[in-house]
Amino acid sequence: MISITELRQNPALLKLDLYCKGVRLDESCHVEEDGGRKILRTRAGLGSGLEMILPGNLWTNVPATEPFVARSPYTLHRLKGQYLLRWKGQDVTGVELSPRPGWYDRTTATGKPMTRIGTLQGTYLGIYQAKVCEYWTAKPAKVNCKFCSVGLNLGIDDADEKSLDEVMEVIRAARDESGITYVDFNTGHYEGDTYLDILEPFVRRIKEELGLLVGVQTPPHRDLKRYDHLREIGVNRVSFCFEIYDRELFEEICPGKHAEYGLDHYLEAVRYCAALARKGPRLEPWVTNGEIIAGLEPPESSIRAIDWITSVGAIPTVCVFRPLTGTDLEHSDPPETEALVPVFRRLYEACMEKGLPIGLAPNVHVSLVMLPEECRWLSPHRYPWQTLKLKAMGKLFRRQFERRLAA
Ligand code: SF4
């Protein structure tokens, strides 16, 4: 049982516990009037909550609208203009609302609300590019991932069509006004594996005109050589969401991914892309992520996934399952925090043991997941040499990046 003292002292534990339980907003809260971000239902299911900043500068997105939140011990209050988090009526800590930038209330030159083109997930810009994932429109029956809400969201908070110019306009606004350093593109599955063809023109323009870091999260293209090309044109991150390492659960919960690509092809793509770190433009960093959702399979299986991903030189991205309203799993329980602590502890320890480059990107705070480096608060182990090395690498990387932006 987690105590209030631990929650007060350990921001990573607090971030994790809030993902699992959510927060109830007291009527004293005026999130938007106080400059906070409106709760949006965008992205593949996780960004449905309240964006806030916890102690330790941990940015997060806390469930606030799903039915399970009604049972949460956490409440958020506004006292004398400050936001205060309480647990079972006792004060835990002050928190900040993630600031809503001016561009959130503007439209593009073509008249679309800018937030329907892209939204901030913490401090980076996330864009769900192109039409809805075709698993949602498959005939005779849809084969979408059961936790996913993309097919419910599009057309509500996300625009169906986003032109190159519209996307560039929003990226410029986010760079100038929110100081973003990283743009993350996300697509679902499209017949003919067209997702990389769709994204490449965006990558080229961002690289040529703005020099920002760019990431691409799509299904694993059947022609893995395509990733050599992405590496060449300056993509900095590729991410493959296989979600579940347990084969039976993968097949059951991700029927489209299973039928179309299969878990083995996801793993092969992770392995292939991780090896590309040694090739490509010297000044463009390259990171490969394998993404899983903790809480959809036993913790031991999530830990096996983390160990496999790090063994091939990739970095795990570990989300916490959130039973979103309207999804096939909406009536499932969210995971128990205590069961997930070993998973996130292993996330940090495995990355440090393998010497992986975590926490290097300048000004990238992620609200949708626990970053590996944030999980250091969950581990008793310190890695002094690796920590020093990462600090030095981070400094160098920041300097190079700033020089490039100034050029
Ligand atoms: S691949 Fe699965 S998680 Fe991704 S958008 Fe399609 S249904 Fe959703």
Side-chain angles (χ1 to χ4, degrees):
M1 182 73 181
I2 295 166
S3 70
I4 188 159
T5 311
E6 288 173 293
L7 294 170
R8 284 177 181 147
Q9 291 174 349
N10 189 331
L13 188 65
L14 180 61
K15 181 169 172 175
L16 181 58
D17 203 36
L18 283 164
Y19 279 144
C20 294
K21 300 196 172 81
V23 66
R24 291 178 283 132
L25 269 54
D26 180 74
E27 55 190 28
S28 58
C29 299
H30 302 289
V31 171
E32 285 177 71
E33 291 88 328
D34 286 333
R37 299 178 191 170
K38 187 177 167 202
I39 294 174
L40 297 168
R41 292 205 331 175
T42 43
R43 308 264 299 182
L46 297 166
S48 63
L50 180 65
E51 293 263 322
M52 60 164 87
I53 309 167
L54 303 176
N57 203 21
L58 298 197
W59 294 58
T60 190
N61 179 292
V62 184
T65 57
E66 288 75 22
F68 73 88
V69 172
R71 306 192 296 270
S72 174
Y74 291 99
T75 47
L76 187 67
H77 303 260
R78 182 182 188 273
L79 288 177
K80 299 184 189 150
Q82 304 291 313
Y83 279 80
L84 176 70
L85 193 62
R86 287 190 175 142
W87 179 84
K88 297 184 180 172
Q90 302 174 72
D91 296 355
V92 181
T93 180
V95 296
E96 283 176 47
L97 300 174
S98 306
R100 185 178 75 251
W103 61 268
Y104 257 45
D105 300 319
R106 298 207 302 271
T107 57
T108 60
T110 51
K112 289 181 191 161
M114 286 191 166
T115 51
R116 292 191 66 188
I117 305 292
T119 51
L120 295 174
Q121 320 285 335
T123 57
Y124 73 86
L125 185 70
I127 298 174
Y128 191 93
Q129 190 56 33
K131 58 192 166 89
V132 68
C133 170
E134 289 178 7
Y135 295 152
W136 283 86
T137 52
K139 298 276 183 295
K142 57 192 180 76
V143 288
N144 59 286
C145 305
K146 293 187 175 159
F147 55 83
C148 175
S149 66
V150 158
L152 311 170
N153 289 343
L154 286 177
I156 301 171
D157 291 331
D158 245 13
D160 297 335
E161 296 291 333
K162 302 174 187 184
S163 74
L164 195 45
D165 285 339
E166 286 168 337
V167 169
M168 289 305 292
E169 187 182 351
V170 172
I171 295 174
R172 276 180 200 284
R175 182 202 58 173
D176 295 345
E177 298 170 40
S178 305
I180 60 154
T181 54
Y182 173 64
V183 183
D184 187 70
F185 287 98
N186 193 306
T187 78
H189 163 73
Y190 310 121
E191 191 60 37
D193 293 11
T194 52
Y195 31 82
L196 297 184
D197 304 323
I198 294 169
L199 294 183
E200 279 190 23
F202 293 87
V203 174
R204 286 182 186 284
R205 268 193 71 181
I206 295 169
K207 286 290 167 184
E208 279 165 23
E209 296 175 25
L210 305 174
L212 296 173
L213 300 168
V214 181
V216 162
Q217 182 164 295
T218 70
H221 200 286
R222 267 164 266 247
D223 176 6
L224 293 178
K225 284 263 174 273
R226 292 292 302 264
Y227 295 101
D228 294 65
H229 181 62
L230 284 191
R231 176 89 175 96
E232 280 301 318
I233 65 173
V235 166
N236 303 103
R237 168 189 184 251
V238 283
S239 172
F240 301 101
C241 306
F242 55 90
E243 330 288 8
I244 299 166
Y245 197 56
D246 179 286
R247 286 179 187 271
E248 273 176 36
L249 288 170
F250 175 78
E251 185 174 343
E252 183 193 324
I253 297 176
C254 306
K257 292 183 184 200
H258 169 70
E260 198 63 42
Y261 303 95
L263 181 57
D264 285 331
H265 187 60
Y266 271 89
L267 300 182
E268 191 45 38
V270 173
R271 185 201 307 271
Y272 183 91
C273 288
L276 292 179
R278 295 187 288 275
K279 303 179 181 171
R282 201 173 56 82
L283 291 180
E284 288 289 3
W286 173 263
V287 163
T288 301
N289 290 121
E291 186 160 328
I292 56 170
I293 303 179
L296 286 178
E297 63 186 324
E300 311 80 62
S301 189
S302 299
I303 289 173
R304 275 196 292 278
I306 289 168
D307 284 336
W308 183 84
I309 294 167
T310 53
S311 76
V312 298
I315 299 176
T317 302
V318 187
C319 311
V320 174
F321 168 55
R322 189 178 297 187
L324 292 162
T325 307
T327 60
D328 297 329
L329 296 181
E330 69 174 328
H331 299 301
S332 304
D333 285 329
E336 294 287 337
T337 309
E338 289 84 346
L340 296 195
V341 168
V343 174
F344 287 95
R345 181 185 301 148
R346 186 65 200 141
L347 172 62
Y348 172 68
E349 292 173 354
C351 289
M352 295 303 270
E353 285 165 16
K354 297 286 178 195
L356 296 172
I358 56 173
L360 301 187
N363 189 34
V364 175
H365 299 282
V366 180
S367 59
L368 298 179
V369 299
M370 302 274 294
L371 291 168
E373 62 272 21
E374 293 174 347
C375 298
R376 67 184 180 278
W377 277 292
L378 301 176
S379 169
H381 299 299
R382 295 289 162 257
Y383 300 85
W385 288 112
Q386 179 61 7
T387 305
L388 269 180
K389 190 173 137 200
L390 286 174
K391 260 193 192 144
M393 285 168 73
K395 221 180 201 176
L396 185 70
F397 180 49
R398 243 189 319 277
R399 223 178 288 144
Q400 280 172 351
F401 184 70
E402 279 161 13
R403 233 180 273 146
R404 192 167 68 183
L405 287 189

